[in-house]
Amino acid sequence: MSERLHKLAGFARPLRTRLLAIIALAVFSAGTAVAAANVTYTVNIVDDGVAQEVRTVKTNAQDILEQFNIEIAPEDRVDTSSFTGADGSKIVISRVHAVTVVSKGEKIAVRAAGTAEDAVDAAGIVLTSRDNLDCRADAPLTEGMTIRVLYGHTVSITADGVTSTYDVQGDTVAEAIQGAGIVLGPDDETYPAADTVLTDGMSITVGRVTYQERSVENEAIPYQTIEKSTDSLYEGETKIETAGKDGVRNVVYRDKIVNGEIAESTVVSEEVLQEPVSQVKLVGTKKKYADIKLKSNTPISGFATPDWLEFDENGQPINYKGIIEGRAAAYTGGGHTATGKVAQPGYVAVNPNQIPYGTELYIVSLDGSYVYGYCIAADTGGFASEGYFTVDLYMNTVSQCYQWGSRMVRIYVL
């Protein structure tokens, strides 16, 4: 029994030593963990493109931003995808900016943080695989930045005699030409014009433009025609009063040549050798009236026809000053006219603003049934203001007035 106790006692000593070693290791490890928690490391903070390197013991990105008094607005974006809590960690801050997105000529103001692509999204624009931007899609936003959306179009371009189809991006014909790799000369033109808004399927032609001068001797200067109205001719009749004659000049032209053909010429200088003579053409204003076939040659007027008044084969005056055609009524009843004359057949009522009192007239009906004959404007009446009748003819009796009624007449102004 004493021997077994001795062995047990010998075993107990090593066991106690191992327990002390374990306790000592635990204490050492705990101290090491505390020390590791207080070790600083490097974090790279990129704030709107500006980088700064900081050292911290914080292991939370938000705590680090607060530690260095970096404020984050509600619209700002913080990217912690590269933050690991160890050396080499990165925190990227994208600040919100006011930018303009231009789409098909429309300017859209937005506030966005991040990249150009984010601003386009904020503008509510959905891009297709054919569309692009005038900057990199991942370009960081800056305050006041303008981003243009370049929409894809399929267009047909004819240049130098060759027509090809191109897929281009842009808003205007000029951008389509550039996108197709076609180089324009300083004077070249496009049809439609370079600033025309692109549409899908548009056909565009490039005009290669050059200029050159040329001289022409003894070139005709076309005469001008001057028209003069005359009552010596009937309406529709014309007559050359003075014949026109071309002039002669020596002239230098500047030709605009588009795709090998003269499209426009301007005069650079000229020497007139002979002035042109203008042609003078007379244009008739005299109204031509239809012939009247008289069915009666007995005048109603009581006045004798003057000897100086001449007539044609139809019994119509030929030496008159003018003709008026209008509607005539008839009246009777005696008394005196507006000019004080005793009312009688041969004195007629008129509108004195149209036919002055005292004017000598010769009146026949257009249908040839009646010849009122030679008469004088001496009276007026209410009809003059109504404008329905041109003349009111005095008759001897009421029955004659009823028989006349209302009819169209031709009034020869003598």
Side-chain angles (χ1 to χ4, degrees):
M1 180 176 178
S2 60
E3 182 180 354
R4 186 172 52 185
L5 289 174
H6 176 77
K7 289 181 179 179
L8 289 174
F11 175 77
R13 283 196 298 270
L15 178 60
R16 185 173 55 190
T17 303
R18 283 197 300 270
L19 289 173
L20 291 174
I22 291 172
I23 293 171
L25 178 61
V27 172
F28 174 80
S29 298
T32 302
V34 172
N38 294 316
V39 171
T40 62
Y41 64 98
T42 300
V43 178
N44 190 17
I45 301 176
V46 181
D47 191 346
D48 218 25
V50 179
Q52 63 171 321
E53 192 175 81
V54 299
R55 293 190 64 79
T56 182
V57 296
K58 304 288 186 181
T59 57
N60 180 278
Q62 180 63 37
D63 293 340
I64 296 172
L65 294 177
E66 292 177 358
Q67 177 186 356
F68 293 97
N69 299 318
I70 299 175
E71 296 183 358
I72 305 298
E75 294 175 289
D76 294 339
R77 293 171 57 181
V78 179
D79 180 6
T80 59
S81 60
S82 298
F83 180 78
T84 62
D87 269 337
S89 290
K90 181 187 289 187
I91 303 173
V92 179
I93 304 169
S94 297
R95 299 293 183 177
V96 66
H97 292 289
V99 299
T100 301
V101 178
V102 181
S103 172
K104 299 178 180 178
E106 180 187 3
K107 295 182 178 180
I108 306 171
V110 299
R111 289 179 60 81
T115 64
E117 188 175 25
D118 294 319
V120 171
D121 289 341
I125 297 171
V126 179
L127 300 180
T128 68
S129 59
R130 301 174 65 193
D131 306 328
N132 209 338
L133 305 179
D134 66 346
C135 62
R136 296 192 336 270
D138 61 353
L141 295 177
T142 58
E143 190 69 19
M145 184 178 184
T146 298
I147 304 162
R148 286 186 59 225
V149 180
L150 306 177
Y151 289 97
H153 299 279
T154 300
V155 297
S156 172
I157 302 178
T158 300
D160 304 312
V162 178
T163 301
S164 302
T165 300
Y166 299 90
D167 289 324
V168 296
Q169 292 176 330
D171 293 332
T172 65
V173 167
E175 290 173 327
I177 295 292
Q178 182 179 11
I182 298 172
V183 179
L184 298 180
D187 297 320
D188 291 345
E189 298 175 345
T190 64
Y191 316 98
D195 59 354
T196 303
V197 176
L198 279 179
T199 58
D200 228 27
M202 176 181 280
S203 294
I204 303 169
T205 300
V206 174
R208 300 298 188 185
V209 180
T210 58
Y211 292 89
Q212 69 178 21
E213 290 189 358
R214 60 184 171 91
S215 299
V216 178
E217 294 184 353
N218 299 321
E219 181 184 71
I221 306 174
Y223 63 81
Q224 295 182 337
T225 298
I226 301 172
E227 294 186 351
K228 287 174 58 177
S229 299
T230 177
D231 58 5
S232 64
L233 298 173
Y234 286 108
E235 292 177 345
E237 294 181 339
T238 61
K239 181 181 178 181
I240 301 301
E241 183 179 59
T242 303
K245 184 178 180 181
D246 288 341
V248 181
R249 67 177 180 174
N250 294 336
V251 60
V252 176
Y253 287 101
R254 185 171 188 258
D255 294 331
K256 178 182 178 181
I257 302 172
V258 180
N259 293 334
E261 297 183 2
I262 296 177
E264 181 183 322
S265 296
T266 57
V267 175
V268 177
S269 63
E270 67 175 339
E271 177 188 6
V272 177
L273 305 178
Q274 183 178 331
E275 292 287 354
V277 177
S278 296
Q279 178 171 278
V280 179
K281 182 171 72 172
L282 300 177
V283 179
T285 59
K286 184 178 179 181
K287 187 172 182 179
K288 193 170 187 177
Y289 295 92
D291 293 335
I292 299 176
K293 303 295 183 181
L294 294 180
K295 301 172 185 176
S296 170
N297 289 320
T298 304
I300 296 174
S301 169
F303 293 163
T305 302
D307 294 337
W308 52 264
L309 189 56
E310 300 176 13
F311 297 89
D312 60 16
E313 63 274 11
N314 293 321
Q316 305 299 308
I318 58 176
N319 52 339
Y320 57 87
K321 296 178 181 177
I323 290 177
I324 300 173
E325 290 188 348
R327 185 168 294 278
Y331 72 111
T332 190
H336 291 78
T337 67
T339 59
K341 307 288 185 181
V342 176
Q344 59 178 301
Y347 287 133
V348 297
V350 297
N351 180 346
N353 294 324
Q354 180 185 20
I355 302 174
Y357 292 138
T359 301
E360 296 177 275
L361 309 168
Y362 194 90
I363 301 175
V364 299
S365 65
L366 288 184
D367 62 6
S369 300
Y370 293 94
V371 175
Y372 189 79
Y374 175 78
C375 53
I376 297 173
D379 202 3
T380 190
F383 81 93
S385 61
E386 294 171 2
Y388 182 70
F389 293 102
T390 302
V391 65
D392 205 357
L393 309 179
Y394 191 88
M395 304 286 184
N396 273 323
T397 65
V398 173
S399 63
Q400 283 181 306
C401 292
Y402 279 120
Q403 187 176 3
W404 175 270
S406 170
R407 63 186 66 241
M408 295 296 294
V409 296
R410 179 177 295 172
I411 304 168
Y412 293 94
V413 181
L414 306 178

